Amino acid sequence: MKKLFAIVLLALPMAVHAQKVKPNVQVKGTLKNIKDTLSIIYANYAANGKRVVDSANVVNGQYAFNISLSEPVRVQFSAKNAANKKARLTQRNVASVFIEPGIINVASVDSFTNVSVKGSKSHIEFEKLNLASKPYESQLQVLYKQYSEFNKNKNKVAADKVEASIDSLDEIQRENVYGSYLKKNPNSPIALYTLKTYTGYELLVDKVEPLFNLLSSTVKSSPAGVEFKAKIETAKLTGIGREALDFTQNDTLGVAVKLSSLRGKYLLIDFWASWCGPCRRENPNVVKVFNQFKDQGFHIIGVSLDQPNAKEKWLKAIHDDQLTWTHVSDLKYWDNEVAKLYGIQAIPQNLLLDPDGKIIAKNLRGEALGKKLESIFSKQSNVKSEAQSKGK
């Protein structure tokens, strides 16, 4: 399921707190009639090739940030409640604002999320997009709640039906909201953000590239535009029918394993990590399929995006989940070399290769993987039976 399974991994370096470029954005924030005692405001955003986490103290209901930008970006502002230091981050103390070079005034009235923004044309467009998305998001929230309840009660049949409804509605939202907006507003200051949202974690070249080509030359030549174009090119290299890009990475014993050395069987490249909840929940399905087809010519190579100095956690997850296939990792977390080679933006993700190393399917989860392999091996069995019959 696109929205429920994916853990998005930002293809950016780890967070930084200092900026060398001279600030060209001044954010002036005000808080009025808010019941919570907010002491610190955090700003989390990606700019100039870095993910930045900054903070500002609230003084007399006001806070300020000086930020360096080369293009409009979405900033997630979050507020710390001084009266409850252990309080978790909730929707009521998080607000998303699009900012751009200049002076941006952000006013929160009655609640932190109830913001009005002045000085940002990009935020005006952002609000239009949010308004168009609202009906779909409301329906999705209802479906998420149903999915959670069915899962809690272990009602798999009902959960699967809701999952299909979520995927269907998500696809409709992408086309009707984000795709439609891009076609009508290719020069919008939030065009690239909209395209990224439309794309999701799996970049489908046939759908995404035509929309990217609609964007202005200024957007395409921006740092973020150039980076996105590179992702499109990577996706072309890892599409269905292409030969899987070869790689070498160490297994759990430190022995180098080359992907091409595993040819001759149907092979699943499974991107996961011990810290990834959706991956761990999917593992029982993968184990079931592996045990069913391993003697018929099926194998798996797990590529883990585990963190540096977390080898023991990686090994424990392999043991606990009974993942009895080939495992490799460079323990570089988001910077895993294989993940970058394949343009992996979220996990779990997988690619199914044929015995010649060509990609024949992607992101098969739950029963889909088993059905695909059942189809493959049943055809092989039928062909073999026919050949034997003719030979008699």
Side-chain angles (χ1 to χ4, degrees):
M1 187 192 305
K2 295 172 184 175
K3 285 212 170 189
L4 289 179
F5 273 107
I7 296 293
V8 176
L9 302 181
L10 299 172
L12 293 164
M14 295 297 288
V16 296
H17 296 269
Q19 300 182 63
K20 296 180 180 180
V21 183
K22 185 178 180 180
N24 59 355
V25 183
Q26 186 176 11
V27 177
K28 297 181 178 180
T30 58
L31 308 173
K32 294 183 180 179
N33 302 326
I34 296 177
K35 295 180 180 179
D36 294 333
T37 305
L38 305 181
S39 59
I40 301 176
I41 308 299
Y42 297 95
N44 190 324
Y45 59 95
N48 308 315
K50 300 288 184 180
R51 176 146 293 277
V52 180
V53 179
D54 203 354
S55 63
N57 293 323
V58 177
V59 180
N60 297 324
Q62 298 182 336
Y63 62 91
F65 289 95
N66 291 312
I67 297 172
S68 302
L69 295 180
S70 59
E71 54 200 348
V73 302
R74 183 173 69 96
V75 178
Q76 178 177 279
F77 291 106
S78 57
K80 181 178 181 180
N81 188 341
N84 187 356
K85 295 181 181 180
K86 294 183 179 180
R88 290 186 175 183
L89 206 61
T90 61
Q91 290 185 345
R92 75 176 186 175
N93 57 9
V94 175
S96 292
V97 176
F98 246 95
I99 65 173
E100 58 194 39
I103 298 175
I104 314 296
N105 291 289
V106 180
S108 296
V109 180
D110 297 329
S111 71
F112 186 70
T113 57
N114 184 29
V115 296
S116 63
V117 180
K118 293 182 179 180
S120 174
K121 294 180 181 179
S122 56
H123 188 77
I124 294 174
E125 295 302 308
F126 183 54
E127 287 184 321
K128 290 179 183 178
L129 204 60
N130 287 340
L131 184 63
S133 294
K134 194 171 183 179
Y136 298 97
E137 292 299 330
S138 297
Q139 294 178 63
L140 284 168
Q141 289 304 317
V142 173
L143 291 173
Y144 291 150
K145 186 175 181 179
Q146 292 177 355
Y147 180 84
S148 179
E149 286 297 319
F150 287 135
N151 258 350
K152 183 179 179 180
N153 296 324
K154 297 182 179 180
N155 188 339
K156 189 176 185 304
V157 174
D160 287 347
K161 288 183 179 180
V162 175
E163 178 181 336
S165 297
I166 290 174
D167 283 346
S168 176
L169 185 57
D170 176 47
E171 187 63 29
I172 293 171
Q173 179 188 25
R174 286 171 188 250
E175 297 297 339
N176 291 355
V177 176
Y178 305 111
S180 177
Y181 178 88
L182 280 168
K183 292 171 183 176
K184 295 177 182 177
N185 305 279
N187 297 319
S188 167
I190 66 166
L192 193 57
Y193 163 82
T194 306
L195 181 58
K196 289 179 179 179
T197 306
Y198 172 89
T199 301
Y201 73 90
E202 183 183 0
L203 198 160
L204 302 176
V205 176
D206 291 345
K207 287 188 173 184
V208 173
E209 189 171 35
L211 293 175
F212 178 81
N213 291 336
L214 293 176
L215 305 183
S216 69
S217 57
T218 301
V219 173
K220 284 192 249 186
S221 61
S222 69
V226 171
E227 180 186 13
F228 194 82
K229 176 62 174 176
K231 290 178 181 178
I232 292 177
E233 296 306 314
T234 296
K236 288 180 180 179
L237 295 175
T238 59
I240 304 296
R242 298 299 297 261
E243 184 175 313
L245 300 172
D246 206 2
F247 63 81
T248 300
Q249 204 156 86
N250 289 350
D251 65 11
T252 57
L253 298 176
V255 178
V257 176
K258 193 171 185 178
L259 178 68
S260 55
S261 70
L262 299 175
R263 286 184 181 177
K265 294 184 176 183
Y266 285 89
L267 179 69
L268 188 75
I269 306 176
D270 185 29
F271 292 92
W272 75 296
S274 67
W275 50 261
C276 168
C279 303
R280 303 295 295 276
R281 289 193 291 273
E282 177 66 8
N283 277 344
N285 296 323
V286 184
V287 169
K288 179 182 178 182
V289 171
F290 178 70
N291 290 333
Q292 182 179 356
F293 295 103
K294 64 181 180 180
D295 295 329
Q296 299 182 49
F298 174 62
H299 193 57
I300 300 174
I301 179 169
V303 180
S304 171
L305 277 66
D306 267 279
Q307 302 182 40
N309 302 317
K311 185 174 182 179
E312 291 305 316
K313 292 182 179 179
W314 173 39
L315 297 179
K316 185 176 187 301
I318 292 172
H319 179 268
D320 290 350
D321 293 1
Q322 301 179 43
L323 313 181
T324 57
W325 48 78
T326 304
H327 291 276
V328 298
S329 181
D330 56 12
L331 299 177
K332 290 185 178 179
Y333 199 23
W334 295 351
D335 287 328
N336 180 283
E337 295 299 331
V338 180
K340 290 195 293 185
L341 179 67
Y342 278 81
I344 299 300
Q345 297 295 299
I347 52 175
Q349 283 203 64
N350 60 50
L351 300 92
L352 182 62
L353 314 184
D354 70 9
D356 296 322
K358 288 186 178 180
I359 300 169
I360 58 173
K362 300 176 78 171
N363 296 321
L364 298 171
R365 300 195 187 94
E367 295 181 356
L369 178 59
K371 289 180 179 179
K372 178 67 175 179
L373 292 172
E374 179 66 40
S375 174
I376 289 171
F377 291 119
S378 63
K379 286 180 181 178
Q380 285 187 349
S381 178
N382 291 336
V383 169
K384 186 176 181 180
S385 295
E386 290 178 6
Q388 290 176 342
S389 298
K390 290 180 181 179
K392 291 181 178 179

